[in-house]
Amino acid sequence: MSMLDRRKIRYTYLKQSKRIKDFLLSDKSREFLIFLFFFLIAGGFWLLQTLNNDYEAEFSIPVRIKDIPNNVVLTSEPPSELRVRVKDKGTVLLNYMLGKSFFPVNLNFADYKGKDNHVKIPAAEFEKKIFSQLSVSSKVLSVKPDTLDYIYSTGKSKVVPVRFQGNVTAGLQYYVSDTICSPDSVLAYAPAAILDTVTAAYIRGVDLENISDTIRQQVALASVRGVKFVPSMVELTFPVDIYTEKTVEVPLHGINFPADKVLRAFPSKVQITFKVGMKRFLSVKESDFVINVSYEELLKLGSDKYTVKLKSFPRGISQIRIVPEQVDFLIEQVSTDGN
């Protein structure tokens, strides 16, 4: 920044500072500040007077059914919250709105029984749990719903595997080497007729794209009506590895040849190049690849060139290339009499 620019900025700053100072020291400024001061005082008195009047407001309080046995399935669940309408002074209601955090109304499952597994709990049963959280001056006008009800069934259980259904893709030069669920099986509780139809617990809705590092997620099992899974959540792990290229030399093996004949291939070994994850680079060896050339297949060719085919290769490799793709061969007659 040049000296001229600095002087210009300093001049502008001093000029503006002088204007602000002159305004604050002027008669008009003093009159405005006095007006603003009395306006704020009057507004404060009006607000206090207004908040001293009685008003009505509605608040929500969570509801929880606690200590449900594992073999119990809620087929019709109670509402998740109560809507409580309260009348009180504005100052009290404002405190509820801004600073009050209501605790859930906890109902112990074992404390309530019902005919045909249908439980109905009138509001009178849990009024004390509501009133204890309100100011003594607050008047409860209504509680909705006025009755909590739910239906449950007692089921048998069996172990079912966890299955993943979703879409997970890796970024360029990366790949997802596995899908790991922990635990890999869960207990399913349900009435016998429903339990017979349950073969697995499914994880759905996971959609990950272009990931380049191992991902771990806590996910919920998909709900099935009338079925309870324990645990209801599992940990999903998607290990991610980076691709690299490796080449091994693999010999051709003749199979099903008569005792007096042998395969001669030129070359006798081929190079197999493939992509594999860095974590498996050292563990994949030439012995993991098998090239079997059957006697019957060669007889049917009517040619002295054989197109190389892999009989078996390890899992987790891709983009396999064989060089050369074809080899020359001959079936050589050998002596079996020891001469």
Side-chain angles (χ1 to χ4, degrees):
M1 185 181 291
S2 66
M3 184 66 72
L4 184 62
D5 290 336
R6 290 177 180 173
R7 287 178 179 175
K8 188 176 181 180
I9 291 172
R10 186 169 181 274
Y11 171 77
T12 304
Y13 170 76
L14 292 173
K15 186 177 180 181
Q16 293 298 329
S17 299
K18 187 175 184 305
R19 284 182 178 179
I20 294 170
K21 184 178 179 181
D22 291 345
F23 172 75
L24 291 175
L25 295 175
S26 66
D27 292 339
K28 288 184 178 181
S29 173
R30 283 196 294 272
E31 290 174 3
F32 173 75
L33 292 173
I34 292 169
F35 167 78
L36 184 62
F37 174 73
F38 283 106
F39 176 79
L40 291 174
I41 291 177
F45 280 120
W46 174 83
L47 181 61
L48 288 174
Q49 183 63 36
T50 301
L51 290 177
N52 205 39
N53 295 331
D54 285 346
Y55 295 95
E56 295 179 11
E58 191 173 79
F59 305 98
S60 65
I61 299 179
V63 176
R64 301 286 184 269
I65 306 296
K66 306 292 287 185
D67 299 327
I68 302 174
N70 284 337
N71 68 324
V72 168
V73 180
L74 297 182
T75 56
S76 173
E77 296 193 9
S80 60
E81 63 180 21
L82 298 167
R83 302 297 300 177
V84 181
R85 191 159 191 83
V86 177
K87 183 176 182 179
D88 207 332
K89 294 187 182 300
T91 50
V92 177
L93 297 182
L94 187 64
N95 178 54
Y96 290 154
M97 293 177 186
L98 300 179
K100 182 68 174 178
S101 179
F102 292 102
F103 297 108
V105 171
N106 292 321
L107 304 173
N108 194 305
F109 178 86
D111 293 340
Y112 302 95
K113 305 293 181 184
K115 186 178 179 181
D116 297 327
N117 292 353
H118 189 173
V119 177
K120 294 184 179 181
I121 309 171
E125 292 274 346
F126 45 80
E127 278 183 350
K128 286 184 180 179
K129 296 183 179 182
I130 297 174
F131 294 161
S132 64
Q133 301 189 59
L134 300 176
S135 170
V136 292
S137 62
S138 297
K139 181 180 180 181
V140 176
L141 302 177
S142 65
V143 177
K144 296 179 181 179
D146 59 3
T147 301
L148 292 180
D149 71 289
Y150 56 89
I151 303 171
Y152 68 90
S153 65
T154 305
K156 297 181 179 180
S157 67
K158 69 178 181 182
V159 177
V160 294
V162 177
R163 296 281 184 262
F164 171 69
Q165 292 181 332
N167 177 47
V168 180
T169 60
L172 191 64
Q173 294 299 316
Y174 293 89
Y175 75 103
V176 180
S177 60
D178 202 355
T179 299
I180 303 169
C181 297
S182 180
D184 59 5
S185 59
V186 294
L187 272 173
Y189 292 90
I194 297 177
L195 193 62
D196 289 342
T197 67
V198 179
T199 58
Y202 290 95
I203 301 167
R204 297 190 179 98
V206 177
D207 189 5
L208 301 170
E209 294 183 355
N210 297 322
I211 63 175
S212 58
D213 200 1
T214 296
I215 300 290
R216 288 183 177 84
Q217 286 188 344
Q218 289 285 337
V219 293
L221 298 172
S223 60
V224 178
R225 186 172 178 80
V227 181
K228 181 179 182 180
F229 295 112
V230 178
S232 61
M233 298 191 71
V234 298
E235 183 180 77
L236 264 183
T237 303
F238 301 103
V240 174
D241 201 358
I242 188 167
Y243 277 121
T244 187
E245 196 167 79
K246 184 172 184 176
T247 300
V248 294
E249 276 196 336
V250 180
L252 280 70
H253 294 288
I255 60 171
N256 300 330
F257 274 69
D260 60 342
K261 291 181 172 58
V262 68
L263 172 67
R264 300 297 184 194
F266 308 97
S268 61
K269 292 184 177 182
V270 294
Q271 287 191 332
I272 299 178
T273 302
F274 52 91
K275 281 194 171 182
V276 64
M278 284 292 293
K279 293 176 184 176
R280 297 192 60 208
F281 185 85
L282 295 177
S283 64
V284 177
K285 299 179 176 59
E286 68 175 52
S287 57
D288 298 322
F289 298 82
V290 176
I291 303 174
N292 288 338
V293 184
S294 74
Y295 179 70
E296 297 84 356
E297 185 180 5
L298 295 182
L299 291 180
K300 293 176 183 178
L301 283 180
S303 168
D304 59 357
K305 288 190 178 294
Y306 173 73
T307 302
V308 180
K309 295 183 286 291
L310 279 170
K311 173 68 175 177
S312 65
F313 55 88
R315 291 178 58 226
I317 68 171
S318 62
Q319 299 184 28
I320 301 170
R321 304 192 308 276
I322 301 175
V323 179
E325 293 181 351
Q326 288 188 327
V327 297
D328 295 317
F329 74 92
L330 61 83
I331 298 174
E332 185 178 338
Q333 184 79 31
V334 294
S335 174
T336 59
D337 58 6
N339 296 327

